[in-house]
Amino acid sequence: MATAATPATNMAMIKPCISSSRKVFMSSAASFSTESKEASWNRLTSSSHISSRQPFFQSIFSAPIKFKKLVTRAMSAANENKPLPGLPVDLRGKRAFIAGVADDQGYGWAIAKSLAAAGAEIIVGTWVPALNIFESSLRRGKFDESRVLPDGSLMEITKVYPMDAVYDSPDDVPEDVKSNKRYAGSSKWTVKELVELVKQDFGSIDILVHSLANGPEVSKPLLETSRNGYLAAISASSYSFVSLLKEFVSIMNPGGASISLTYIASERIIPGYGGGMSSAKAALQSDTRVLAFEAGRKHKIRVNTISAGPLRSRAAKAIGFIEMMIDYSSANAPLQKELSAEEVGNAAAFLASPLASAITGAVVYVDNGLNAMGVGVDSPIFVDLDIPKDN
């Protein structure tokens, strides 16, 4: 992937922040003894071309030092071969395939950005009916604002593949789908064909991300869900992950990682999230544990899933009650803020990195802590309790 600079992500730390010489002083010691002032000043002068030392010493010793808490963010590395300071999320030299990116919203796109910010090469699989619009939007620059990485460069997507993970091979595709005009002009988009193309083009990958979910009857209560609707939800939302990993694992480098996305409805009752989708997410989490064992033992691949909170994405809005769930989370989660897609992307970058080398078979909650709550504290029942609120 060709970019202006190769970025990586550094872990947050506390550093003194002095406005007059921030870049130099932040990499220096936080305190000066009387004896070392002169030597320290000489080093600073030679490295930053500061012509007058008096204002500098006044700013350090006559004014209080302000401390600023730095958040985790991606930073450009001036030299790819230079060791990164601190404890970096470094994915340089890694290749990631993200299945299920069709626009610049949603968790799939955010994960792609975070992986790219950490240095990974990005290739994606897009649902065939959405492929033309997605590729056209990329070419015309509609996603350019969303592609901006922390170092100012744009995320590059090396290649976009047509994909429909509901079908494992051409023999599985029904005639009505083959003749559907939305699939016209695209070929080799079943799972086995897709993986073969990736193998021919790139040889191998290191990271597999599953960002797929679909339930044609999601708005129906489970008691009213048809067999076909239920099985369709399972097929698209959970077995597709099994199928993709089954085929991709043969071309994944040892030490690689696979990540999927789940939802708290797999463990808790979420009225309105029906059509078998809660069952599909429960299956996905169970499969994560089993696949972690099998892929770990046979291929040294880690398998984890992220249980993400509600997001204002196009896909989520189709469910019909996403605004309500966001408001509920803001009112009841330990952290009273709206979840951002970037926060999920950053968690995925961590899980894909060597920093998470011993984490597999896990459900990682990125939902402002809502999963930990046993009750909704916005209920009138708790009105007399002294519950802190973010006003």
Side-chain angles (χ1 to χ4, degrees):
M1 178 176 66
T3 55
T6 304
T9 302
N10 289 342
M11 303 304 291
M13 60 184 71
I14 305 297
K15 296 184 179 179
C17 178
I18 298 175
S19 59
S20 62
S21 184
R22 180 181 178 185
K23 289 185 179 178
V24 176
F25 190 65
M26 285 177 67
S27 62
S28 305
S31 62
F32 292 85
S33 67
T34 303
E35 292 79 4
S36 64
K37 288 179 185 177
E38 194 68 32
S40 299
W41 170 252
N42 290 335
R43 288 197 301 272
L44 288 168
T45 302
S46 64
S47 62
S48 59
H49 309 291
I50 300 174
S51 59
S52 175
R53 68 178 181 175
Q54 186 62 29
F56 179 81
F57 280 123
Q58 287 179 351
S59 67
I60 295 180
F61 299 104
S62 62
I65 294 177
K66 294 181 179 180
F67 286 84
K68 179 180 179 182
K69 185 174 183 179
L70 301 183
V71 298
T72 303
R73 62 184 62 190
M75 300 176 67
S76 297
N79 187 338
E80 268 193 17
N81 299 319
K82 181 180 179 181
L84 291 168
L87 196 62
V89 174
D90 188 357
L91 295 175
R92 290 173 295 181
K94 305 297 184 181
R95 181 177 298 114
F97 182 91
I98 295 94
V101 179
D103 56 39
D104 63 341
Q105 299 185 23
Y107 290 132
W109 178 271
I111 291 172
K113 282 188 66 176
S114 291
L115 295 178
E121 180 182 15
I122 304 300
I123 55 179
V124 305
T126 299
W127 188 46
V128 181
L131 181 66
N132 289 336
I133 295 176
F134 179 66
E135 289 188 315
S136 175
S137 296
L138 276 176
R139 286 194 305 269
R140 296 166 62 185
K142 286 189 174 183
F143 298 153
D144 282 359
E145 184 176 350
S146 300
R147 289 169 59 204
V148 177
L149 298 176
D151 70 346
S153 65
L154 297 183
M155 174 180 67
E156 295 289 342
I157 297 177
T158 303
K159 189 162 186 177
V160 180
Y161 290 90
M163 179 194 70
D164 193 330
V166 169
Y167 306 107
D168 295 327
S169 68
D171 293 338
D172 300 326
V173 183
E175 287 300 323
D176 62 326
V177 173
K178 291 179 181 178
S179 60
N180 191 309
K181 63 180 182 180
R182 297 195 298 172
Y183 287 76
S186 295
S187 61
K188 297 185 177 181
W189 40 259
T190 63
V191 173
K192 289 183 178 180
E193 293 173 305
L194 164 69
V195 175
E196 185 58 34
L197 286 177
V198 174
K199 181 179 180 180
Q200 292 174 13
D201 293 339
F202 297 99
S204 64
I205 67 170
D206 302 277
I207 302 163
L208 172 64
V209 177
H210 177 275
S211 183
L212 301 171
N214 183 48
E217 299 180 15
V218 65
S219 60
K220 291 184 178 181
L222 188 58
L223 273 175
E224 299 175 14
T225 299
S226 69
R227 182 183 296 273
N228 286 338
Y230 184 95
L231 294 178
I234 294 286
S235 175
S237 307
S238 54
Y239 185 76
S240 59
F241 179 53
V242 177
S243 177
L244 283 167
L245 184 57
K246 174 184 176 183
E247 299 300 328
F248 266 115
V249 76
S250 64
I251 64 168
M252 290 184 72
N253 294 316
S258 183
I259 302 164
S260 64
L261 291 165
T262 186
Y263 182 48
I264 195 64
S266 60
E267 306 169 37
R268 307 282 190 271
I269 300 168
I270 306 292
Y273 194 73
M277 281 303 301
S278 58
S279 307
K281 292 301 186 183
L284 181 65
Q285 290 182 204
S286 177
D287 293 342
T288 295
R289 292 183 286 271
V290 177
L291 292 172
F293 175 77
E294 296 180 354
R297 288 296 183 98
K298 293 180 181 179
H299 304 282
K300 301 186 186 305
I301 301 298
R302 296 182 295 106
V303 184
N304 295 293
T305 187
I306 295 175
S307 183
L311 179 73
R312 299 180 200 273
S313 64
R314 289 191 181 96
K317 289 177 181 177
I319 299 175
F321 69 104
I322 188 63
E323 301 291 338
M324 182 192 312
M325 293 309 300
I326 291 173
D327 291 342
Y328 178 85
S329 179
S330 297
N332 294 285
L335 299 178
Q336 287 190 273
K337 64 181 181 62
E338 186 168 337
L339 183 70
S340 72
E342 181 184 12
E343 291 171 308
V344 172
N346 289 341
F350 161 72
L351 287 173
S353 78
L355 295 181
S357 60
I359 300 176
T360 192
V363 178
V364 178
Y365 298 92
V366 185
D367 62 357
N368 289 322
L370 186 62
N371 71 93
M373 299 300 298
V375 296
V377 295
D378 60 347
S379 169
I381 295 175
F382 299 103
V383 68
D384 294 329
L385 289 182
D386 184 19
I387 298 175
K389 294 181 180 179
D390 184 3
N391 297 321

